[in-house]
Every structure is written in C-alpha cells, then in structure tokens.
Amino acid sequence: MSKVLVIGAFGQLGSELTTALRNIYGDNNVVASDLKEPQDILSAGPTEQLDVRDKQTLSQIVDKHGITQIYHLAAILSAKGESDPKFAWQLNMDSLINVLELAREKQLDKIFWPSSIAVFGPGTPKQNTPQDTVMDPNTIYGISKLAGERWCAYYFEKYGVDVRSLRYPGLIGYKAKPGGGTTDYAVDIFYQAIEHGTYECFLKSDTYLPMMYMSDAIKATIELMEADRSKVKVRSSYNVSALSFSPDELKKEIEKFIPEFSMSYRPDFRQEIAESWPSSIDDTEAREDWGWQHDVNLNRMTQTMLDGLRTLANH
Ligand code: NAD
Ligand code: SER
C-alpha cells in the first residue's frame, strides 16, 4: 500500500495536491508536512511540522509513517529568492538532496519534485520553448531548479531512484495564496478585482508568460506519478503547457465578468525576471510519453477563479 509524505503541504500547490492525493490513497495514508504549524485545511489526515533541511527528523517521519512516496514541494520561489539568494540556494538544494538521499537509503518507491519554467533564461527561444534548448537562468531560483533537475537525473541514473518532475508554468488557483513568485500577479488580480474592482500590476501589459490552472497542474502531477516507469523517459523534468497570456489579455477576460474592472501598471524588478522566461512552452514529450493534455482554457479559469473566491468570501 502506498504511504505518501507531502513536504510543503500548506503552500499554494501543496494544499490542493494533498487533498487530491488523499482522495486517491485515503486521508490516513497521506501525511501533510510543512515548516508552518499544521492548519485546519488539511486536518482530515495526519500532519507533521518539519523543516526539510533537518534530515534526521525527515528520516524519523518517513519511518514513523512507513512512507513509500514523497512529494517534495518546499522551496523559495523566484521573486522572494532574489532578496536572499544564498538562503534560497541552501533551502532549495539541501532539501532536495536530503529527500533524494533518503529515497536511495530507504529504497522508497517514487519521488516527485517540481521544477519550473524558471530553468530557462534570456538565451532561450521564447516561443514554444522546446524540452531541450539553451538554459541560462539568471535568478537564483532558476539556477537552483536547473541544478535540481540534474540532481534528479543523477539519482535516477546512478542509483535507480524513481524521481519524476514537471517544469510547472505559473500556477493559478484560489484555495491558497501564492508564495512569492513572478507569476503571482495572475492570482492577486482576482482577489483585487473582487475586493476593489481595480488592480495595479507589477508586470507590463504585454508580458506573455506560460500559465496553468491548478486542477490541470494536479492532473499532470498525478498522471506523471501514475505512469508506468518505462513511459517516463525524461528524468530531468518535463515541459508541461496549458495557457499563455499577458496581463492585458487577463484584464480583458476579467472584464467579461466584471465590466467596471480597471487596471494600472507599475512594473518592478519582477519584469526583468518575467522577460527572461519563455512566453509559451512546447510540451510534445509529455504529450507523447504519458499522454498529457490540459483541460482548462483562459475563459474557464477566469470564471472558476471568480466563482471560487466569491464562494470563499461568503463563508
Ligand atoms: P509556496 O511558497 O506556496 O509553498 C511552499 C511551502 O513550503 C510553504 O507552505 C512553506 O511553508 C513550505 N516550506 C518552506 N520552507 C520549508 C522548510 N524548510 N521545510 C518544510 N517546508 C517548508 O510554493 P508553491 O507555489 O506551493 O510551490 C510548490 C513547489 O512548486 C515549489 O517547489 C515551486 O518551486 C514549484 N513551482 C511552483 C509554481 C507556482 O506558480 N506556484 C510554478 C513552478 C514551480
Ligand atoms: N510561478 C513561479 C514563480 O513565479 C515559477 O516557478 O516563481
């Protein structure tokens, strides 16, 4: 029987992914862990407070719950990482190596670790960025994700650790707030549109970035993890694609539901990060190897975000 540990479970992705995993494996078989104190949102199953840099405690938690799979989500994201690059490097790298080492030592079944479009950089082709291309990230976050991809491939090739990974685009969901990324505007905008009817965007109006609605991100993650081992041919990290839009396009979509919505622009340091990333992603390998396809388009995402946030506000 699979016993799953999610590390970083109370973050934007983890809070939704943990619930989805509990629906598959059962509440008691998915342990939600995070540096943050356990929160009500994931109280249906076991929780542990954990600093993933502490390998000994991580090892004890794995033994205590008989863990067979780890989803290691804890990281410092792109914008936040620039305020303390050494700390971001230390957290993002030490934590991954701790998880990979434990997987090797304890012969765990599978590991999931997310990479990002941030592995690409200014020299990368911007449109339909292919799986294998120039990778010259210039944020510490992107550098740590690119190095992490190589560590994952190394542990697979040298030790047979079954580690699987996706290069997520910007993730958009309403159940938890994002944790310091460059794509966060595309979540904040919905909160501000509902509360104030206006939004000041930290990116320029025509900045196109790859994005994905959260239900598609969870679907991609679970489908990759459930794929037969022989089908997972990319052992660094798979490109996955869904949407590509600019702040101006998102504004126009929101106006279809809130006609009086207005937006202004005050680009900050995150503009330079966004400009170093692809505008759209070619995910042919993920589609061919394990059948990836996304479900949610821009219109459906906008409607779901607005409906979901309004429902939350009324409770
Ligand atoms: P988040 O910041 O919302 O959540 C990260 C969680 O990790 C937080 O709950 C935090 O408390 C926890 N954490 C931080 N330090 C920890 C530590 N030392 N020990 C244990 N837990 C710790 O981030 P997210 O958006 O949920 O991202 C999850 C993963 O997905 C990250 O690896 C991120 O790089 C990747 N990713 C996210 C996006 C996105 O748009 N959200 C895009 C690409 C990749
Ligand atoms: N959405 C993430 C960020 O902006 C990309 O990994 O940091």
Side-chain angles (χ1 to χ4, degrees):
M1 189 185 38
S2 296
K3 286 279 235 171
V4 179
L5 173 66
V6 182
I7 302 171
F10 294 118
Q12 189 201 8
L13 171 63
S15 47
E16 296 205 42
L17 182 60
T18 304
T19 304
L21 291 169
R22 283 180 172 166
N23 288 339
I24 297 171
Y25 297 108
D27 287 344
N28 288 330
N29 294 321
V30 179
V31 181
S33 75
D34 202 292
L35 193 60
K36 292 179 195 159
E37 284 186 16
Q39 295 170 14
D40 285 350
I41 182 174
L42 295 178
S43 60
T47 55
E48 294 279 358
Q49 196 169 6
L50 165 74
D51 183 340
V52 62
R53 290 169 297 169
D54 175 357
K55 190 178 169 211
Q56 199 182 349
T57 305
L58 173 61
S59 175
Q60 284 164 357
I61 289 173
V62 167
D63 291 344
K64 176 179 157 191
H65 295 277
I67 296 298
T68 60
Q69 296 186 24
I70 297 179
Y71 288 69
H72 170 36
L73 312 179
I76 301 289
L77 275 75
S78 60
K80 202 168 162 191
E82 293 306 289
S83 64
D84 191 346
K86 282 189 190 147
F87 177 70
W89 173 259
Q90 187 202 18
L91 173 64
N92 294 1
M93 286 293 90
D94 290 358
S95 64
L96 175 61
I97 293 167
N98 280 349
V99 170
L100 291 172
E101 262 302 282
L102 270 188
R104 180 180 74 84
E105 288 164 13
K106 296 183 189 290
Q107 302 192 329
L108 301 186
D109 289 347
K110 279 181 220 172
I111 304 295
F112 177 79
W113 171 81
S115 185
S116 162
I117 54 164
V119 293
F120 300 114
T124 303
K126 281 214 157 318
Q127 306 292 342
N128 291 321
T129 303
Q131 176 72 38
D132 296 308
T133 184
V134 175
M135 298 169 92
D136 56 352
N138 59 7
T139 61
I140 197 63
Y141 174 71
I143 295 169
S144 72
K145 288 294 186 187
L146 180 54
E149 288 191 6
R150 299 320 313 160
W151 276 106
C152 289
Y154 184 88
Y155 267 74
F156 174 74
E157 284 158 19
K158 301 282 176 193
Y159 307 122
V161 172
D162 189 354
V163 50
R164 305 176 180 201
S165 178
L166 299 171
R167 291 175 182 153
Y168 290 129
L171 302 182
I172 295 160
Y174 64 87
K175 292 184 183 160
K177 289 199 170 176
T182 302
T183 56
D184 291 7
Y185 90 84
V187 178
D188 295 340
I189 192 172
F190 289 101
Y191 284 85
Q192 300 301 323
I194 286 175
E195 276 178 40
H196 306 295
T198 180
Y199 181 63
E200 184 179 85
C201 186
F202 57 75
L203 297 183
K204 290 183 189 165
S205 63
D206 59 353
T207 311
Y208 279 82
L209 285 170
M211 301 278 187
M212 183 179 281
Y213 187 62
M214 191 59 86
S215 60
D216 273 333
I218 286 167
K219 181 174 110 151
T221 308
I222 288 170
E223 285 180 359
L224 173 68
M225 289 298 274
E226 286 185 346
D228 190 85
R229 187 178 168 118
S230 63
K231 291 196 167 165
V232 184
K233 294 179 187 143
V234 174
R235 288 297 181 162
S236 51
S237 188
Y238 275 98
N239 277 8
V240 275
S241 169
L243 311 171
S244 166
F245 57 78
S246 66
D248 184 53
E249 276 188 7
L250 184 52
K251 170 185 176 266
K252 290 190 170 115
E253 204 59 43
I254 292 173
E255 279 172 345
K256 291 179 187 167
F257 300 91
I258 307 176
E260 65 280 11
F261 177 61
S262 68
M263 190 141 147
S264 58
Y265 296 91
R266 191 196 290 223
D268 64 17
F269 72 101
R270 289 169 281 194
Q271 181 64 32
E272 194 182 330
I273 299 177
E275 282 175 11
S276 76
W277 290 351
S279 303
S280 59
I281 297 287
D282 179 339
D283 59 2
T284 304
E285 282 78 358
R287 288 175 193 262
E288 287 181 357
D289 290 358
W290 43 276
W292 161 244
Q293 50 185 357
H294 73 281
D295 293 327
V296 181
N297 64 19
L298 180 58
N299 182 269
R300 195 169 135 206
M301 179 195 91
T302 304
Q303 182 156 23
T304 310
M305 286 295 291
L306 293 171
D307 290 350
L309 284 174
R310 282 185 179 126
T311 306
L312 285 183
N314 291 332
H315 280 86

